[in-house]
Amino acid sequence: MNDMRLRDRRNPGAPIIPRDGWDLPPWNRWTNQHVREMTATAPIWRGDGPVRPLPESLQPLGDIMVDFREGKRSVDEFLKESSTDGFLVLHRGRIIFERYMNELAPHKQHLIHSATKSFIGTLAGIVEDKGLLDVKEPVIEYLPELAATAFRGATVQQLLDMTGGVFFDESRNQDSHLQKLYLANGWHDHNRPDWPRTVWDLILTLNIAARPHGASFHYCNITTTVLGCLLERASGLSLADLMSQEIWAPMGAGEDAYITVDHAGLAAAAGGMCATLRDLGRFAMLLLEGGSRDGRQIIPHSWIRGTRSGGVELSGSSRQSLPNGAYHNQWWIEDTRRGTLWARGQDGQIVFIDPDAEFVAVKLSSLPNDENYTQRRLDERPALLAIRATLSTT
């Protein structure tokens, strides 16, 4: 299929993007930058304050050679081969590398998929610091309706650390829970009248336990979805307004962000946020700098420190890609020895933060789901570490 026709679908004769599967390859090369045209969204307002400046000191990082498992390649080659839409590197508070591809531009928002989860975890830390949430409490303390579901007995912290025990089928099988979630959150046409109409309705059907709560790490999208509901209940605000009030406006975002919502207006906490490359960099810098800007503590410093130093042990493929990693507060800990934070999305979306090295990298991509998908995801880490190593010597 001609890639230009995918990007310029308004031309006569261009293929019609299907309502079911618009978020998947090959359509994601276009739709990741045009989510508002595919499903309902809520704005995350940047506020009316000044934009945080990002000074530049550009360097030719594209020439850095990286030792990948299959051989050496340059950073430029890595970016091209991993379907990159945008790539940003900040070091010591300055932009030193910025690349836009596939028609992405500085003002354009891009879907970040599961990297959204790390924003939800950060919001939980802020709401807890305000005294509106106690993560040691049971989930049903805030959402008593879930007492009749398998979430009964789980604590908020267990959901934050992905150690909940609720059975949720994440496969792409025709009748899986994940497929029900796509319909319930409004991403796909709701063509199954016997399935839940909203995400909340879906949550209320989950009454089977797969394992005891807190027993082990198990990455699960519905876990973050419930956290989104919980944050709305605890704060009294929609997730979009909460994000605007507590993070996006005070950090000095350059553009509004937005997040997809279901038929009842509930935000897709597990993977529906869209933002610009530079604003993701601003968020990363806020964390790197201890959560404060212009004398205001936006994200609790103790929460950042605790997130970097804590975490539950990974398992399976997660352990393979992050051999010294962990998971805590909806963040991947890339290396527990350094406390490096990593937000990750399924199409190759990355927010990587190493405060000790004063290093931030943001990558927005639209990966194809082909036989090389897993290797492309494994290549992300050595590329970032090679860039960081080069900068540490300058």
Side-chain angles (χ1 to χ4, degrees), residues 235-264:
S235 69
L237 296 172
S238 72
L239 208 54
D241 286 346
L242 183 64
M243 188 85 72
S244 170
Q245 175 180 295
E246 301 298 341
I247 295 178
W248 220 244
M251 82 173 187
E255 304 284 345
D256 291 351
Y258 62 93
I259 192 166
T260 70
V261 295
D262 74 359
H263 303 290

PDB file of all heavy atoms in Angstrom, residues 235-264:
ATOM      1  N   SER A 235     -10.327  12.983  43.287  1.00  0.00           N
ATOM      2  CA  SER A 235     -10.058  14.402  43.061  1.00  0.00           C
ATOM      3  C   SER A 235     -11.309  15.214  42.765  1.00  0.00           C
ATOM      4  O   SER A 235     -11.315  16.440  42.945  1.00  0.00           O
ATOM      5  CB  SER A 235      -9.073  14.567  41.898  1.00  0.00           C
ATOM      6  OG  SER A 235      -9.690  14.194  40.672  1.00  0.00           O
ATOM      7  N   GLY A 236     -12.360  14.549  42.273  1.00  0.00           N
ATOM      8  CA  GLY A 236     -13.557  15.273  41.861  1.00  0.00           C
ATOM      9  C   GLY A 236     -13.427  15.941  40.514  1.00  0.00           C
ATOM     10  O   GLY A 236     -14.284  16.733  40.116  1.00  0.00           O
ATOM     11  N   LEU A 237     -12.357  15.640  39.779  1.00  0.00           N
ATOM     12  CA  LEU A 237     -12.114  16.229  38.468  1.00  0.00           C
ATOM     13  C   LEU A 237     -12.044  15.145  37.402  1.00  0.00           C
ATOM     14  O   LEU A 237     -11.704  13.991  37.698  1.00  0.00           O
ATOM     15  CB  LEU A 237     -10.798  17.009  38.458  1.00  0.00           C
ATOM     16  CG  LEU A 237     -10.703  18.238  39.365  1.00  0.00           C
ATOM     17  CD1 LEU A 237      -9.265  18.756  39.375  1.00  0.00           C
ATOM     18  CD2 LEU A 237     -11.652  19.329  38.913  1.00  0.00           C
ATOM     19  N   SER A 238     -12.335  15.515  36.168  1.00  0.00           N
ATOM     20  CA  SER A 238     -12.056  14.599  35.068  1.00  0.00           C
ATOM     21  C   SER A 238     -10.555  14.410  34.968  1.00  0.00           C
ATOM     22  O   SER A 238      -9.776  15.264  35.399  1.00  0.00           O
ATOM     23  CB  SER A 238     -12.608  15.142  33.752  1.00  0.00           C
ATOM     24  OG  SER A 238     -11.823  16.242  33.312  1.00  0.00           O
ATOM     25  N   LEU A 239     -10.141  13.299  34.377  1.00  0.00           N
ATOM     26  CA  LEU A 239      -8.714  13.026  34.257  1.00  0.00           C
ATOM     27  C   LEU A 239      -8.016  14.098  33.417  1.00  0.00           C
ATOM     28  O   LEU A 239      -6.899  14.523  33.732  1.00  0.00           O
ATOM     29  CB  LEU A 239      -8.504  11.645  33.638  1.00  0.00           C
ATOM     30  CG  LEU A 239      -7.225  10.896  34.006  1.00  0.00           C
ATOM     31  CD1 LEU A 239      -7.072  10.778  35.510  1.00  0.00           C
ATOM     32  CD2 LEU A 239      -7.244   9.508  33.375  1.00  0.00           C
ATOM     33  N   ALA A 240      -8.683  14.573  32.358  1.00  0.00           N
ATOM     34  CA  ALA A 240      -8.093  15.620  31.506  1.00  0.00           C
ATOM     35  C   ALA A 240      -7.897  16.907  32.290  1.00  0.00           C
ATOM     36  O   ALA A 240      -6.844  17.553  32.201  1.00  0.00           O
ATOM     37  CB  ALA A 240      -8.976  15.859  30.283  1.00  0.00           C
ATOM     38  N   ASP A 241      -8.900  17.308  33.071  1.00  0.00           N
ATOM     39  CA  ASP A 241      -8.780  18.536  33.855  1.00  0.00           C
ATOM     40  C   ASP A 241      -7.754  18.385  34.981  1.00  0.00           C
ATOM     41  O   ASP A 241      -7.026  19.332  35.313  1.00  0.00           O
ATOM     42  CB  ASP A 241     -10.137  18.931  34.436  1.00  0.00           C
ATOM     43  CG  ASP A 241     -11.081  19.493  33.383  1.00  0.00           C
ATOM     44  OD1 ASP A 241     -10.611  19.825  32.277  1.00  0.00           O
ATOM     45  OD2 ASP A 241     -12.287  19.591  33.662  1.00  0.00           O
ATOM     46  N   LEU A 242      -7.704  17.204  35.580  1.00  0.00           N
ATOM     47  CA  LEU A 242      -6.724  16.942  36.634  1.00  0.00           C
ATOM     48  C   LEU A 242      -5.308  17.034  36.069  1.00  0.00           C
ATOM     49  O   LEU A 242      -4.415  17.640  36.684  1.00  0.00           O
ATOM     50  CB  LEU A 242      -6.971  15.566  37.249  1.00  0.00           C
ATOM     51  CG  LEU A 242      -6.070  15.155  38.419  1.00  0.00           C
ATOM     52  CD1 LEU A 242      -6.279  16.072  39.620  1.00  0.00           C
ATOM     53  CD2 LEU A 242      -6.337  13.685  38.806  1.00  0.00           C
ATOM     54  N   MET A 243      -5.103  16.460  34.885  1.00  0.00           N
ATOM     55  CA  MET A 243      -3.790  16.519  34.244  1.00  0.00           C
ATOM     56  C   MET A 243      -3.404  17.955  33.912  1.00  0.00           C
ATOM     57  O   MET A 243      -2.252  18.378  34.114  1.00  0.00           O
ATOM     58  CB  MET A 243      -3.794  15.679  32.967  1.00  0.00           C
ATOM     59  CG  MET A 243      -2.443  15.505  32.313  1.00  0.00           C
ATOM     60  SD  MET A 243      -1.520  14.149  33.022  1.00  0.00           S
ATOM     61  CE  MET A 243      -2.458  12.755  32.373  1.00  0.00           C
ATOM     62  N   SER A 244      -4.360  18.718  33.408  1.00  0.00           N
ATOM     63  CA  SER A 244      -4.108  20.114  33.084  1.00  0.00           C
ATOM     64  C   SER A 244      -3.737  20.906  34.331  1.00  0.00           C
ATOM     65  O   SER A 244      -2.742  21.641  34.343  1.00  0.00           O
ATOM     66  CB  SER A 244      -5.350  20.727  32.428  1.00  0.00           C
ATOM     67  OG  SER A 244      -5.224  22.128  32.313  1.00  0.00           O
ATOM     68  N   GLN A 245      -4.518  20.750  35.383  1.00  0.00           N
ATOM     69  CA  GLN A 245      -4.339  21.542  36.598  1.00  0.00           C
ATOM     70  C   GLN A 245      -3.051  21.212  37.347  1.00  0.00           C
ATOM     71  O   GLN A 245      -2.373  22.107  37.856  1.00  0.00           O
ATOM     72  CB  GLN A 245      -5.540  21.296  37.518  1.00  0.00           C
ATOM     73  CG  GLN A 245      -5.451  21.961  38.883  1.00  0.00           C
ATOM     74  CD  GLN A 245      -6.677  21.674  39.727  1.00  0.00           C
ATOM     75  OE1 GLN A 245      -7.778  22.101  39.390  1.00  0.00           O
ATOM     76  NE2 GLN A 245      -6.511  20.928  40.812  1.00  0.00           N
ATOM     77  N   GLU A 246      -2.701  19.921  37.377  1.00  0.00           N
ATOM     78  CA  GLU A 246      -1.600  19.494  38.236  1.00  0.00           C
ATOM     79  C   GLU A 246      -0.270  19.314  37.517  1.00  0.00           C
ATOM     80  O   GLU A 246       0.783  19.324  38.156  1.00  0.00           O
ATOM     81  CB  GLU A 246      -1.974  18.191  38.953  1.00  0.00           C
ATOM     82  CG  GLU A 246      -3.219  18.284  39.823  1.00  0.00           C
ATOM     83  CD  GLU A 246      -3.065  19.278  40.963  1.00  0.00           C
ATOM     84  OE1 GLU A 246      -1.917  19.632  41.320  1.00  0.00           O
ATOM     85  OE2 GLU A 246      -4.084  19.720  41.509  1.00  0.00           O
ATOM     86  N   ILE A 247      -0.288  19.116  36.199  1.00  0.00           N
ATOM     87  CA  ILE A 247       0.970  18.879  35.480  1.00  0.00           C
ATOM     88  C   ILE A 247       1.126  19.806  34.286  1.00  0.00           C
ATOM     89  O   ILE A 247       2.094  20.573  34.186  1.00  0.00           O
ATOM     90  CB  ILE A 247       1.080  17.406  35.021  1.00  0.00           C
ATOM     91  CG1 ILE A 247       1.154  16.452  36.224  1.00  0.00           C
ATOM     92  CG2 ILE A 247       2.310  17.215  34.137  1.00  0.00           C
ATOM     93  CD1 ILE A 247       1.214  14.975  35.857  1.00  0.00           C
ATOM     94  N   TRP A 248       0.187  19.773  33.356  1.00  0.00           N
ATOM     95  CA  TRP A 248       0.404  20.389  32.045  1.00  0.00           C
ATOM     96  C   TRP A 248       0.548  21.905  32.121  1.00  0.00           C
ATOM     97  O   TRP A 248       1.465  22.479  31.534  1.00  0.00           O
ATOM     98  CB  TRP A 248      -0.731  19.993  31.094  1.00  0.00           C
ATOM     99  CG  TRP A 248      -0.240  19.709  29.715  1.00  0.00           C
ATOM    100  CD1 TRP A 248      -0.530  20.394  28.566  1.00  0.00           C
ATOM    101  CD2 TRP A 248       0.658  18.658  29.338  1.00  0.00           C
ATOM    102  NE1 TRP A 248       0.123  19.829  27.501  1.00  0.00           N
ATOM    103  CE2 TRP A 248       0.856  18.759  27.948  1.00  0.00           C
ATOM    104  CE3 TRP A 248       1.311  17.642  30.034  1.00  0.00           C
ATOM    105  CZ2 TRP A 248       1.677  17.885  27.244  1.00  0.00           C
ATOM    106  CZ3 TRP A 248       2.120  16.767  29.346  1.00  0.00           C
ATOM    107  CH2 TRP A 248       2.304  16.897  27.971  1.00  0.00           C
ATOM    108  N   ALA A 249      -0.353  22.560  32.858  1.00  0.00           N
ATOM    109  CA  ALA A 249      -0.261  24.019  32.973  1.00  0.00           C
ATOM    110  C   ALA A 249       0.928  24.459  33.828  1.00  0.00           C
ATOM    111  O   ALA A 249       1.731  25.291  33.389  1.00  0.00           O
ATOM    112  CB  ALA A 249      -1.575  24.587  33.513  1.00  0.00           C
ATOM    113  N   PRO A 250       1.098  23.921  35.027  1.00  0.00           N
ATOM    114  CA  PRO A 250       2.223  24.403  35.847  1.00  0.00           C
ATOM    115  C   PRO A 250       3.602  24.087  35.294  1.00  0.00           C
ATOM    116  O   PRO A 250       4.560  24.797  35.593  1.00  0.00           O
ATOM    117  CB  PRO A 250       1.998  23.719  37.200  1.00  0.00           C
ATOM    118  CG  PRO A 250       1.078  22.581  36.947  1.00  0.00           C
ATOM    119  CD  PRO A 250       0.225  23.007  35.785  1.00  0.00           C
ATOM    120  N   MET A 251       3.730  23.038  34.462  1.00  0.00           N
ATOM    121  CA  MET A 251       5.068  22.723  33.944  1.00  0.00           C
ATOM    122  C   MET A 251       5.463  23.634  32.787  1.00  0.00           C
ATOM    123  O   MET A 251       6.606  23.633  32.346  1.00  0.00           O
ATOM    124  CB  MET A 251       5.155  21.266  33.509  1.00  0.00           C
ATOM    125  CG  MET A 251       4.615  20.967  32.138  1.00  0.00           C
ATOM    126  SD  MET A 251       4.936  19.265  31.608  1.00  0.00           S
ATOM    127  CE  MET A 251       4.363  19.341  29.898  1.00  0.00           C
ATOM    128  N   GLY A 252       4.494  24.424  32.244  1.00  0.00           N
ATOM    129  CA  GLY A 252       4.813  25.328  31.144  1.00  0.00           C
ATOM    130  C   GLY A 252       4.773  24.681  29.782  1.00  0.00           C
ATOM    131  O   GLY A 252       5.644  24.929  28.937  1.00  0.00           O
ATOM    132  N   ALA A 253       3.751  23.845  29.542  1.00  0.00           N
ATOM    133  CA  ALA A 253       3.610  23.185  28.239  1.00  0.00           C
ATOM    134  C   ALA A 253       3.465  24.215  27.126  1.00  0.00           C
ATOM    135  O   ALA A 253       2.910  25.298  27.324  1.00  0.00           O
ATOM    136  CB  ALA A 253       2.403  22.253  28.253  1.00  0.00           C
ATOM    137  N   GLY A 254       3.940  23.842  25.947  1.00  0.00           N
ATOM    138  CA  GLY A 254       3.838  24.725  24.799  1.00  0.00           C
ATOM    139  C   GLY A 254       2.526  24.586  24.058  1.00  0.00           C
ATOM    140  O   GLY A 254       2.061  25.526  23.409  1.00  0.00           O
ATOM    141  N   GLU A 255       1.916  23.395  24.114  1.00  0.00           N
ATOM    142  CA  GLU A 255       0.666  23.117  23.410  1.00  0.00           C
ATOM    143  C   GLU A 255      -0.272  22.353  24.339  1.00  0.00           C
ATOM    144  O   GLU A 255       0.171  21.684  25.284  1.00  0.00           O
ATOM    145  CB  GLU A 255       0.911  22.263  22.156  1.00  0.00           C
ATOM    146  CG  GLU A 255       1.899  22.835  21.163  1.00  0.00           C
ATOM    147  CD  GLU A 255       1.339  23.978  20.339  1.00  0.00           C
ATOM    148  OE1 GLU A 255       0.098  24.160  20.332  1.00  0.00           O
ATOM    149  OE2 GLU A 255       2.144  24.687  19.692  1.00  0.00           O
ATOM    150  N   ASP A 256      -1.562  22.426  24.066  1.00  0.00           N
ATOM    151  CA  ASP A 256      -2.496  21.536  24.746  1.00  0.00           C
ATOM    152  C   ASP A 256      -2.135  20.096  24.403  1.00  0.00           C
ATOM    153  O   ASP A 256      -1.624  19.812  23.310  1.00  0.00           O
ATOM    154  CB  ASP A 256      -3.929  21.781  24.277  1.00  0.00           C
ATOM    155  CG  ASP A 256      -4.493  23.116  24.737  1.00  0.00           C
ATOM    156  OD1 ASP A 256      -3.847  23.790  25.568  1.00  0.00           O
ATOM    157  OD2 ASP A 256      -5.580  23.469  24.259  1.00  0.00           O
ATOM    158  N   ALA A 257      -2.407  19.197  25.324  1.00  0.00           N
ATOM    159  CA  ALA A 257      -2.419  17.771  25.014  1.00  0.00           C
ATOM    160  C   ALA A 257      -3.883  17.354  24.915  1.00  0.00           C
ATOM    161  O   ALA A 257      -4.787  18.181  25.065  1.00  0.00           O
ATOM    162  CB  ALA A 257      -1.694  16.988  26.102  1.00  0.00           C
ATOM    163  N   TYR A 258      -4.161  16.101  24.664  1.00  0.00           N
ATOM    164  CA  TYR A 258      -5.531  15.606  24.736  1.00  0.00           C
ATOM    165  C   TYR A 258      -5.508  14.110  24.997  1.00  0.00           C
ATOM    166  O   TYR A 258      -4.461  13.454  24.912  1.00  0.00           O
ATOM    167  CB  TYR A 258      -6.344  15.971  23.499  1.00  0.00           C
ATOM    168  CG  TYR A 258      -5.865  15.415  22.165  1.00  0.00           C
ATOM    169  CD1 TYR A 258      -6.357  14.207  21.666  1.00  0.00           C
ATOM    170  CD2 TYR A 258      -4.969  16.129  21.366  1.00  0.00           C
ATOM    171  CE1 TYR A 258      -5.964  13.724  20.429  1.00  0.00           C
ATOM    172  CE2 TYR A 258      -4.567  15.653  20.131  1.00  0.00           C
ATOM    173  CZ  TYR A 258      -5.075  14.449  19.663  1.00  0.00           C
ATOM    174  OH  TYR A 258      -4.674  13.972  18.432  1.00  0.00           O
ATOM    175  N   ILE A 259      -6.676  13.574  25.376  1.00  0.00           N
ATOM    176  CA  ILE A 259      -6.773  12.165  25.717  1.00  0.00           C
ATOM    177  C   ILE A 259      -8.104  11.631  25.212  1.00  0.00           C
ATOM    178  O   ILE A 259      -9.116  12.348  25.223  1.00  0.00           O
ATOM    179  CB  ILE A 259      -6.615  11.956  27.247  1.00  0.00           C
ATOM    180  CG1 ILE A 259      -6.429  10.473  27.584  1.00  0.00           C
ATOM    181  CG2 ILE A 259      -7.766  12.587  28.028  1.00  0.00           C
ATOM    182  CD1 ILE A 259      -5.937  10.236  29.014  1.00  0.00           C
ATOM    183  N   THR A 260      -8.127  10.420  24.720  1.00  0.00           N
ATOM    184  CA  THR A 260      -9.359   9.848  24.200  1.00  0.00           C
ATOM    185  C   THR A 260     -10.304   9.518  25.350  1.00  0.00           C
ATOM    186  O   THR A 260      -9.882   9.235  26.468  1.00  0.00           O
ATOM    187  CB  THR A 260      -9.096   8.580  23.362  1.00  0.00           C
ATOM    188  OG1 THR A 260      -8.663   7.512  24.215  1.00  0.00           O
ATOM    189  CG2 THR A 260      -8.048   8.832  22.291  1.00  0.00           C
ATOM    190  N   VAL A 261     -11.612   9.590  25.061  1.00  0.00           N
ATOM    191  CA  VAL A 261     -12.641   9.304  26.068  1.00  0.00           C
ATOM    192  C   VAL A 261     -13.671   8.340  25.496  1.00  0.00           C
ATOM    193  O   VAL A 261     -13.874   8.272  24.286  1.00  0.00           O
ATOM    194  CB  VAL A 261     -13.337  10.595  26.554  1.00  0.00           C
ATOM    195  CG1 VAL A 261     -12.365  11.500  27.302  1.00  0.00           C
ATOM    196  CG2 VAL A 261     -13.972  11.352  25.388  1.00  0.00           C
ATOM    197  N   ASP A 262     -14.319   7.590  26.406  1.00  0.00           N
ATOM    198  CA  ASP A 262     -15.330   6.632  25.969  1.00  0.00           C
ATOM    199  C   ASP A 262     -16.687   7.314  25.828  1.00  0.00           C
ATOM    200  O   ASP A 262     -16.811   8.538  25.928  1.00  0.00           O
ATOM    201  CB  ASP A 262     -15.369   5.419  26.909  1.00  0.00           C
ATOM    202  CG  ASP A 262     -16.014   5.722  28.266  1.00  0.00           C
ATOM    203  OD1 ASP A 262     -16.425   6.879  28.519  1.00  0.00           O
ATOM    204  OD2 ASP A 262     -16.101   4.781  29.085  1.00  0.00           O
ATOM    205  N   HIS A 263     -17.741   6.520  25.618  1.00  0.00           N
ATOM    206  CA  HIS A 263     -19.071   7.070  25.367  1.00  0.00           C
ATOM    207  C   HIS A 263     -19.630   7.810  26.578  1.00  0.00           C
ATOM    208  O   HIS A 263     -20.537   8.634  26.437  1.00  0.00           O
ATOM    209  CB  HIS A 263     -20.024   5.944  24.955  1.00  0.00           C
ATOM    210  CG  HIS A 263     -19.552   5.176  23.758  1.00  0.00           C
ATOM    211  ND1 HIS A 263     -19.537   5.718  22.488  1.00  0.00           N
ATOM    212  CD2 HIS A 263     -19.054   3.915  23.626  1.00  0.00           C
ATOM    213  CE1 HIS A 263     -19.062   4.828  21.630  1.00  0.00           C
ATOM    214  NE2 HIS A 263     -18.762   3.735  22.287  1.00  0.00           N
ATOM    215  N   ALA A 264     -19.089   7.534  27.760  1.00  0.00           N
ATOM    216  CA  ALA A 264     -19.528   8.223  28.971  1.00  0.00           C
ATOM    217  C   ALA A 264     -18.580   9.354  29.365  1.00  0.00           C
ATOM    218  O   ALA A 264     -18.763   9.989  30.402  1.00  0.00           O
ATOM    219  CB  ALA A 264     -19.649   7.220  30.123  1.00  0.00           C
TER     220      ALA A 264
END
